[in-house]
């Protein structure tokens, strides 16, 4: 009995337990010679030397049939069990977002060479492979960025479209109410009640425009706040990816598949916010994560941080920048993509453009009404004053220039011709060597609109696109600075009432333009005039000079920009002022003529006109503003500007919706391609489950056969 027990213990040593765990056959094999020797010595001491020798012959070879069957059966059990584990893991995660199907790669174990032939020794699991296609995954990441960019744009534009549509109706209605009250006043020019109605409606226009500006400015601040919140989430994702990379490095090979799934899920979420490029590293699918067009967010186990920094030169135009701990580098807004790119584009192309358009409308409306007011006489027979705040108030002129930080320059921008005003920022590059000042100016499209050199001792006056830029001083020579010129951005905020009394409305007109005029210039008398009578201002046939005639056809003596008397002034006139010569040939500002007149244009003015009861000629001129194409280089009326803005926003919303639908189709196709590679098929997994279960049962039967064979051998001994 002791012999049989001992032999059986040798057999079982191939699978004996150590600390409660089944020892691998390769480990048990190391102990087999010792076990054999111990039992042979034991049997020898018992006087059973022949038995010991028989056992040595019988068990001295590891490749006996029983032991081979046992090892093969055990390898089959192990491989089948691991296959079952992997299959069960797939089934359990069939509904897990971002999970990639796994499969165990089974291989045949090394064969043994015995008696001139090779005999197999079973199977083993070489690796658990994750179903993954980097091209499909990259396509999904890119389509994720496009879809969320389109959806964010559409959501923002939907809000803007509703606001602009509703507000346009209010603004246009208030303007039309103003013009209707002017028409009513024209029927009874001296009626104080009708005059008060005009003032009230003018005030309503101002309040509506102010409200529109405030709401748009609030949208701008909201976008900036959303940028901060979104950047915080991007930073969190970057840190999570870096932490995950560290775990991937610390884990042995073959145990990273679930970590890779989580890593891909984080990258896909990051792709919602910005364009993402993941670069492979050793045993890591996203060792380096790049956003935009080249800014590194994650490098191995280290993560940079994004920051929202004040814009330069406008702090409200906040920028997204990468902070790597040493430098803060702004990211190009055009390269961001995703929700971040959509937010920045919405703020720049929609909100800020709307602010500019509302400002241009406010300046155009107030500027033209004020000009007509100054071309007439009020109820008291005095020259009319501005109905709204002066669009060229010194404070407003200074606010149209944004200087670089630390600049000592002093610039101011006056609006000279509202018909030529354009939206967007201008960039004015000014440089000086102390002798000459050079100016180069680009519009919002990047087109050069000015390139001029002026002697430093001459008046530094620049005229372009309806603006007159007075450069009072530049930084000390030599210097070169770039200024941002915003002619209309704050127009909506600066609009306010100037006239407070019903009698301030100028109903009687003293200025008229020839019907044949082709230009957009406006003539008005100045309160400093010292002469009376009727005068004509005529632009020469070459369009570069002007002359003033009295009602007898005599040319008047004028004073030019150098203080010299002349009968022909260069046009455009410096400062828009036409100075008459007094008895001592000193210049007296008498008339103001804006730029924009063309060759042959003519104007008539009555200086010192007497009050005329019931005269409504100036009110009739004011009515024409409702339909005159006096804005946008003669293509739009003031009301048209707001209607065009409403149309543009609606078109952008529609385009964003269509782009979103296309992006959704791309996203669905990319998701389907990833699912075809990485998705779990329950039918397939169920079939695998049955297959590996049967393999497990068959392997257990092999072990039973091995035991039965060994028992038969023992009985024979």
């Amino acid at each position: 009995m002791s012999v049989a027990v001992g032999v059986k213990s040798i057999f079982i040593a191939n699978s004996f337990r150590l600390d409660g765990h089944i020892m691998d056959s390769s480990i048990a094999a190391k102990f087999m010679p010792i076990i054999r020797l111990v039992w042979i010595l034991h049997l020898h001491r018992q006087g059973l030397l022949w038995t010991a020798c028989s056992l040595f012959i019988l068990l001295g070879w590891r490749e006996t049939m029983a032991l081979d069957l046992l090892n093969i059966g055990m390898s089959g059990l192990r491989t089948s069990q691991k296959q079952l584990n992997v299959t069960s893991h797939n089934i359990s995660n069939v509904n897990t977002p971002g999970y990639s199907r796994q499969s165990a790669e089974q291989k045949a174990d090394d064969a043994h060479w015995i008696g001139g032939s090779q005999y197999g020794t079973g199977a083993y699991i070489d690796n658990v492979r994750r179903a993954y296609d980097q091209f499909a995954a990259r396509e999904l990441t890119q389509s994720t960025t496009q879809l969320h960019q389109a959806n964010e744009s559409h959501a923002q534009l939907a809000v803007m479209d509703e606001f602009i549509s509703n507000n346009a109706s209010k603004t246009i209605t208030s303007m039309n109410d103003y013009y209707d009250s002017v028409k009513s006043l024209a029927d009874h020019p001296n009626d104080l009640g009708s005059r008060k109605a005009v003032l009230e409606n003018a005030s309503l226009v101002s309040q509506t425009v102010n409200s529109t500006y405030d709401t748009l400015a609030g949208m701008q601040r909201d976008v900036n706040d959303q940028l901060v919140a979104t950047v915080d989430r991007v930073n969190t994702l970057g840190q999570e990816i870096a932490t995950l990379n560290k775990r991937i490095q610390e884990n042995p090979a073959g145990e990273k598949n679930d970590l890779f799934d989580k890593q891909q899920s984080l990258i896909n979420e990051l792709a919602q916010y910005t364009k993402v490029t993941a670069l492979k590293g050793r045993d890591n699918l996203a060792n380096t994560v790049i956003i935009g067009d080249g800014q590194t967010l994650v490098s191995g186990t280290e993560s940079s941080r994004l920051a929202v920094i004040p814009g330069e030169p406008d702090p409200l135009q906040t920028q997204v920048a990468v902070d790597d701990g040493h430098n803060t580098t702004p990211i190009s807004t055009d390269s961001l993509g995703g929700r971040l790119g959509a937010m920045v584009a919405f703020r720049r192309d929609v909100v800020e453009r709307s602010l500019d358009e509302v400002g241009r409308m406010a300046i155009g409306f107030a500027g033209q009404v004020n000009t007509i007011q100054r071309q007439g006489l009020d109820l008291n027979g005095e020259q009319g004053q501005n109905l709204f705040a002066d669009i060229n108030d010194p404070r407003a002129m200074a606010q149209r220039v944004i200087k670089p930080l630390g600049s000592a320059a002093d610039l101011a921008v006056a609006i000279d011709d509202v018909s030529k005003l354009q939206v967007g920022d201008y960039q004015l590059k000014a440089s000086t060597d102390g002798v000459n000042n050079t100016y180069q100016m680009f519009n919002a499209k990047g087109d050069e609109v000015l390139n001029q050199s002026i002697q430093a001792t001459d008046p530094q006056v620049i005229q372009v696109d309806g603006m007159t830029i007075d450069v009072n001083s530049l930084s000390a020579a030599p210097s070169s600075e770039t200024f941002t010129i915003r002619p209309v951005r704050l127009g909506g905020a600066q609009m306010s009432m100037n006239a407070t009394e019903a009698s301030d409305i100028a109903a009687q007109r003293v200025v008229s333009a020839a019907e044949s005029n082709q230009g957009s210039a406006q003539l008005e008398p100045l309160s400093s005039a010292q002469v009376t009578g009727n005068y004509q201002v005529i632009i020469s046939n070459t369009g570069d000079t002007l002359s003033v005639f009295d009602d007898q056809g005599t040319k008047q003596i004028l004073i030019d920009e150098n203080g010299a008397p002349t009968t022909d002034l260069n046009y455009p006139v410096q400062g828009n002022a036409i100075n008459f010569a007094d008895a001592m040939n000193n210049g007296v500002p008498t008339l103001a003529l804006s730029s924009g007149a063309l060759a042959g244009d003519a104007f008539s003015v009555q200086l010192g006109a007497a009050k005329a009861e019931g005269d409504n000629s100036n009110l009739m001129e004011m009515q024409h503003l409702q339909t005159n194409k006096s804005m946008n280089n003669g293509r739009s009326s003031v009301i048209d500007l707001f209607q065009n803005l409403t149309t543009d926003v609606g078109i952008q919303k529609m385009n964003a919706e269509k782009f979103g639908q296309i992006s959704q189709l791309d996203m669905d196709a990319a998701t389907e391609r990833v699912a075809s590679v990485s998705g779990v098929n329950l039918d397939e997994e169920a079939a695998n489950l049955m297959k590996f279960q049967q393999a497990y049962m068959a392997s257990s039967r092999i072990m039973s056969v091995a035991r039965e064979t060994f028992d038969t051998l023992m009985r024979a001994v």
Side-chain angles (χ1 to χ4, degrees):
M1 179 65 70
S2 61
V3 174
V5 173
V7 172
K8 185 174 290 188
S9 67
I10 296 174
F11 172 75
I12 295 174
N14 283 274
S15 60
F16 70 84
R17 293 178 177 271
L18 181 64
D19 293 335
H21 300 279
I22 297 178
M23 180 175 289
D24 189 88
S25 61
S26 62
I27 300 176
K30 298 178 181 179
F31 294 91
M32 186 61 70
I34 300 175
I35 297 172
R36 291 171 179 164
L37 179 60
V38 169
W39 277 100
I40 290 173
L41 291 176
H42 174 70
L43 295 174
H44 174 67
R45 288 163 58 184
Q46 297 295 324
L48 301 174
L49 180 59
W50 67 272
T51 303
C53 293
S54 298
L55 288 173
F56 182 79
I57 294 171
L58 180 64
L59 302 176
W61 305 100
R62 175 174 174 80
E63 292 77 17
T64 59
M65 181 178 69
L67 293 179
D68 284 346
L69 285 175
L70 181 63
N71 288 334
I72 292 173
M74 288 182 60
S75 69
L77 282 176
R78 286 193 298 271
T79 55
S80 297
Q81 184 179 21
K82 290 180 179 178
Q83 291 278 19
L84 286 170
N85 289 341
V86 172
T87 302
S88 301
H89 188 54
N90 288 339
I91 294 174
S92 299
N93 288 280
V94 64
N95 294 317
T96 301
Y99 176 78
S100 298
R101 178 174 53 85
Q102 299 179 14
S103 59
E105 295 184 346
Q106 182 173 326
K107 293 185 178 180
D109 209 343
D110 295 337
H112 286 180
W113 183 270
I114 303 175
S117 299
Q118 287 187 343
Y119 294 90
T121 58
Y124 70 97
I125 299 299
D126 180 63
N127 181 39
V128 178
R129 184 175 61 86
R130 171 174 172 258
Y132 173 76
D133 184 339
Q134 63 174 340
F135 300 106
R138 184 178 303 170
E139 184 181 5
L140 178 60
T141 300
Q142 293 174 347
S143 60
T144 299
T145 301
Q146 293 178 355
L147 177 61
H148 283 82
Q149 181 173 356
N151 288 344
E152 181 68 23
S153 295
H154 180 260
Q156 299 277 15
L157 284 166
V159 175
M160 175 63 80
D161 182 52
E162 183 177 2
F163 165 73
I164 288 293
S165 297
N166 294 335
N167 204 73
S169 177
K170 295 178 182 178
T171 304
I172 293 173
T173 298
S174 65
M175 286 187 176
N176 286 329
D177 288 344
Y178 167 78
Y179 289 122
D180 288 342
S181 63
V182 171
K183 292 177 183 178
S184 297
L185 179 60
D187 294 335
H188 307 282
N190 296 338
D191 183 64
L192 291 179
S194 298
R195 286 173 169 266
K196 289 181 180 179
V198 172
L199 286 181
E200 290 175 358
N201 285 311
S203 178
L204 183 59
V205 172
S206 177
Q207 293 172 18
T208 304
V209 171
N210 293 158
S211 176
T212 302
Y213 175 87
D214 292 340
T215 303
L216 291 173
M219 287 185 178
Q220 186 182 38
R221 292 190 295 270
D222 290 343
V223 172
N224 290 340
D225 293 340
Q226 291 175 24
L227 282 175
V228 173
T230 304
V231 162
D232 288 343
R233 180 54 185 161
V234 170
N235 288 334
T236 300
L237 290 171
Q239 292 170 358
E240 290 180 2
I241 294 173
T243 302
L244 198 58
N245 285 348
K246 184 176 181 181
R247 290 180 59 190
I248 291 173
Q249 289 182 4
E250 293 172 348
N251 274 271
E255 299 181 11
K256 303 177 181 178
N257 291 332
D258 291 335
L259 296 180
F260 285 150
D261 284 343
K262 187 174 182 180
Q263 184 184 65
Q264 187 63 48
S265 295
L266 291 175
I267 290 173
N268 286 341
E269 184 180 353
L270 181 62
Q272 297 178 15
Y273 304 109
T274 182
K275 185 166 67 175
V276 179
T277 303
L279 302 180
K280 295 176 61 176
R282 183 178 179 183
D283 298 328
N284 192 342
L285 297 177
N287 187 65
T288 302
V289 177
I290 296 174
I291 62 175
D293 282 341
Q295 287 72 28
T296 301
L297 180 66
V298 178
S299 178
T301 60
E302 300 295 329
S303 173
S304 299
R305 289 186 59 83
L306 295 186
V308 178
I309 60 176
E312 176 61 37
D314 181 6
L316 292 177
Q317 288 181 326
T318 55
Q319 295 177 289
V320 179
V322 175
D323 184 359
D324 60 5
H326 303 286
N327 299 303
T328 301
T329 306
I331 302 176
S332 171
T333 56
D334 294 330
S335 70
L336 281 172
R339 294 180 61 187
L340 282 174
M343 291 177 192
V344 174
F346 173 74
R347 184 187 65 188
R348 178 194 61 205
D349 300 334
V350 181
V351 177
E352 293 180 357
R353 181 182 178 277
S354 297
L355 283 169
D356 281 349
E357 202 64 88
V358 170
R360 180 165 67 159
M361 180 190 68
I363 290 175
F365 181 79
Q368 292 182 92
V369 170
N370 285 346
T371 298
I372 293 177
Q373 273 282 112
R374 296 192 299 267
Q375 291 174 337
L377 301 180
D378 63 18
L379 192 59
N380 299 319
E382 298 177 354
Q383 183 177 344
Q385 301 300 310
N386 291 332
L387 185 65
F388 298 98
D390 189 0
I391 62 172
N392 288 325
D393 176 87
R395 182 170 174 267
M397 292 172 59
Q399 290 177 336
R400 293 172 184 145
V401 181
I402 301 179
K403 299 187 297 184
L405 187 64
S407 174
D410 181 14
L411 288 78
V413 177
I415 303 300
D416 190 38
D417 187 350
V418 296
S419 69
K420 296 180 180 178
L421 285 178
Q422 301 297 317
V423 298
D425 294 353
Y426 291 80
Q427 300 300 318
L428 174 63
K429 183 178 180 180
S431 58
T432 179
D433 57 8
V435 177
N436 293 299
N437 297 341
T438 301
Y439 302 97
Q440 190 177 19
M441 195 168 182
F442 301 88
N443 62 16
K445 299 178 181 178
D447 301 329
E448 185 180 71
V449 294
L450 175 74
N451 196 329
Q452 185 176 357
S453 182
I454 306 175
Q455 290 186 359
T457 55
D458 291 343
Q460 307 295 298
V461 179
I462 305 169
Q463 291 185 323
V464 60
D465 284 356
M467 298 177 286
T468 297
I469 305 174
D470 294 323
V471 183
N472 300 316
S473 65
L474 293 175
S475 295
S479 65
S480 180
E481 297 176 322
T482 299
F483 305 90
T484 298
I485 307 298
R486 287 182 174 168
V488 296
R489 176 65 54 84
L490 299 177
Q494 295 167 344
M495 188 176 186
S496 62
M497 291 296 296
N498 180 66
T500 57
E501 300 295 333
S503 59
D504 292 338
I505 298 174
Q508 179 181 344
R509 188 166 183 78
V510 296
V511 176
S512 61
E515 293 184 0
S516 60
N517 283 4
Q518 299 296 315
S520 59
Q522 293 288 339
L523 179 72
E524 60 184 80
L526 298 178
S527 58
S528 56
Q530 297 179 357
V531 296
T532 59
N534 296 324
Y535 295 89
Q536 276 193 324
V537 178
I538 299 177
I539 307 298
S540 67
N541 291 332
T542 57
D544 56 356
T545 61
L546 67 82
S547 302
V548 178
F549 299 85
D550 61 16
D551 53 2
Q552 303 299 319
T554 304
K555 277 189 176 183
Q556 301 300 293
I557 303 299
L558 310 174
I559 304 299
D560 64 16
E561 61 270 18
N562 298 317
T566 181
T567 57
D568 299 302
L569 287 180
N570 291 329
Y571 181 76
V573 183
Q574 182 177 328
N576 293 343
I578 300 177
N579 297 320
F580 280 38
D582 62 8
M584 303 297 295
N585 278 340
N586 294 319
V588 178
T590 305
L591 300 173
L593 180 64
S594 63
S595 61
L598 298 180
D601 284 357
F603 304 86
S604 299
V605 58
Q606 184 179 6
L607 298 178
K611 175 183 175 182
E613 293 290 339
D615 192 336
N616 65 356
S617 55
N618 210 40
L619 296 175
M620 300 300 293
E621 184 69 21
M622 195 173 292
Q623 291 180 35
H624 295 160
L625 293 179
Q626 186 173 16
T627 55
N628 278 355
K629 304 297 183 181
S630 56
M631 301 294 296
N632 203 19
N633 288 318
R635 296 191 295 269
S636 306
S637 67
V638 172
I639 292 178
D640 289 341
L641 294 180
F642 218 125
Q643 292 175 332
N644 293 339
L645 176 62
T646 304
T647 302
D648 289 345
V649 172
I651 291 174
Q652 290 185 60
K653 174 194 171 185
M654 182 177 63
N655 291 339
E657 184 177 5
K658 291 182 178 179
F659 182 59
Q661 293 171 351
I662 296 173
S663 299
Q664 184 65 60
L665 294 176
D666 292 340
M667 178 75 169
D668 293 341
T671 302
E672 186 175 348
R673 276 189 283 273
V674 170
S676 66
V677 175
S678 304
V680 176
N681 187 310
L682 285 179
D683 293 337
E684 180 182 352
E685 299 302 326
N688 287 339
L689 197 63
M690 296 177 61
K691 179 176 66 175
F692 297 135
Q693 182 184 19
Q694 292 173 355
Y696 188 90
M697 295 172 62
S699 297
S700 65
R701 180 57 184 158
I702 293 174
M703 295 185 66
S704 297
V705 171
R707 181 176 294 275
E708 292 171 2
T709 301
F710 192 80
D711 287 344
T712 301
L713 183 61
M714 290 299 98
R715 286 195 296 272
V717 174

